[in-house]
Amino acid sequence: MRLATVRVDGGTRAAAGDADGWVLLDEADAQDLVAGEGWRARAEAALRERTRQDLAEDAFGVPMPRPAKVFCCGLNYRDHILETGRAVPEHPTLFAKFADTLTGPADEIRVHDTVKLDWEAELAVVVGSEVHRADRDTAAAAILGYTVANDISMRDWQQRTLQWLQGKAFDATTPIGPFVVTAEELDPKAGLRITCAVNGEPVQDGNTRELVFDAADLVSYVSQITRLRPGDLILTGTPGGVALGMADPRWLQDGDVVTTAIEGIGELRNRIRSA
């Protein structure tokens, strides 16, 4: 099943879908939907009983628009670790984002005061049930599904100090979506191709089987620190091919279009605009 938050006149609506199309639901967004009891049965019934519709690319908003917690894992693909010259970590390298950092899958990304703007294609894990101090199996069972993200990074800000947050948390610079594919539909550990292109030129081409810490590992680890709830997000890191790893970096410029895709999930397409 696919779950989305869809823009409609005057607001948004939750939507459920599959390869044959979408149906709109009563809830205001997908996060409200999955917070309610019996949501899956109601969504499945709507897909059986209602007429499907196609949705335009720009109809999709941020699938989970109000995550209380957005965790990110850096240095989590072996090839990316090698291009940074670091050792494979023993524990996840975590930092946080805020809900304000997120933006829609087809939205423009407006940036300012940066000359080293970089891309980072990422698989995002969506938490579907409350989980705290969980073992791996319990953590896996708490995963609602997966979506696509790009951790657009202001490297000049990121490199000002040893702390990464300031280069990762500019408002509305992390596109995510276009929808969540529920966990029973695919297995990132088995391997999903993840790619990023700039103006149609491929820059990243990786596979989620190369993750050092997979989705269940990360949910379990983060749950030791804090209680996770429906709609919370974990971005799992980026494969090799970022501008920062190039001998002669090609930073993103005004007007560039960044296309991010994950096999079996979907695609983001975002234009960069200098504000």
Side-chain angles (χ1 to χ4, degrees):
M1 186 189 304
R2 300 171 181 177
L3 302 174
T5 295
V6 178
R7 292 162 174 160
V8 297
D9 290 342
T12 61
R13 293 271 295 278
D18 54 26
D20 296 324
W22 294 89
V23 294
L24 300 185
L25 305 173
D26 294 336
E27 289 81 3
D29 53 58
Q31 189 164 349
D32 276 351
L33 173 68
V34 302
E37 292 185 8
W39 69 266
R40 186 181 293 269
R42 288 186 287 108
E44 289 174 345
L47 284 170
R48 287 193 305 269
E49 297 166 5
R50 300 185 192 176
T51 301
R52 314 291 179 89
Q53 61 179 290
D54 294 328
L55 294 174
E57 182 182 83
D58 61 0
F60 294 94
V62 176
M64 300 289 159
R66 297 174 309 285
K69 294 160 186 172
V70 182
F71 277 86
C72 305
C73 184
L75 303 173
N76 199 25
Y77 282 81
R78 290 171 180 83
D79 58 350
H80 180 50
I81 294 168
L82 290 173
E83 75 179 355
T84 64
R86 300 175 185 239
V88 175
E90 294 183 26
H91 305 288
T93 302
L94 299 178
F95 60 95
K97 286 182 177 285
F98 310 103
D100 289 344
T101 311
L102 306 179
T103 194
D107 292 348
E108 287 189 343
I109 296 173
R110 296 189 172 271
V111 299
H112 60 90
D113 299 327
T114 181
V115 295
K116 294 184 177 181
L117 190 67
D118 206 349
W119 54 83
E120 291 194 6
E122 307 213 10
L123 172 76
V125 181
V126 184
V127 176
S129 59
E130 188 170 305
V131 59
H132 190 219
R133 297 180 181 175
D135 60 22
R136 179 182 166 82
D137 289 344
T138 304
I143 295 172
L144 172 67
Y146 307 94
T147 192
V148 186
N150 197 310
D151 178 21
I152 299 293
S153 299
M154 292 68 179
R155 300 295 194 191
D156 38 2
W157 285 78
Q158 180 182 343
Q159 294 174 326
R160 288 183 175 186
T161 71
L162 295 178
Q163 299 297 322
W164 297 353
L165 175 66
Q166 58 198 351
K168 301 282 192 172
F170 278 51
D171 286 349
T173 55
T174 304
I176 191 164
F179 43 76
V180 178
V181 177
T182 51
E184 74 277 1
E185 296 288 334
L186 47 77
D187 179 13
K189 191 173 179 64
L192 302 173
R193 187 182 183 194
I194 176 171
T195 62
C196 182
V198 178
N199 300 329
E201 177 187 351
V203 290
Q204 290 184 283
D205 192 343
N207 196 291
T208 58
R209 73 168 65 93
E210 296 300 317
L211 285 166
V212 177
F213 305 102
D214 71 6
D217 291 333
L218 292 173
V219 173
S220 174
Y221 189 83
V222 173
S223 81
Q224 309 306 313
I225 303 166
T226 185
R227 191 179 303 273
L228 295 171
R229 295 181 172 87
D232 287 346
L233 302 172
I234 300 177
L235 277 61
T236 60
T238 196
V242 299
L244 184 65
M246 297 176 177
D248 183 17
R250 181 258 193 255
W251 306 110
L252 292 169
Q253 305 294 322
D254 180 60
D256 284 347
V257 175
V258 181
T259 304
T260 315
I262 301 180
E263 174 188 6
I265 303 179
E267 181 180 281
L268 314 175
R269 184 176 172 84
N270 304 94
R271 186 177 297 276
I272 303 298
R273 288 298 186 198
S274 296

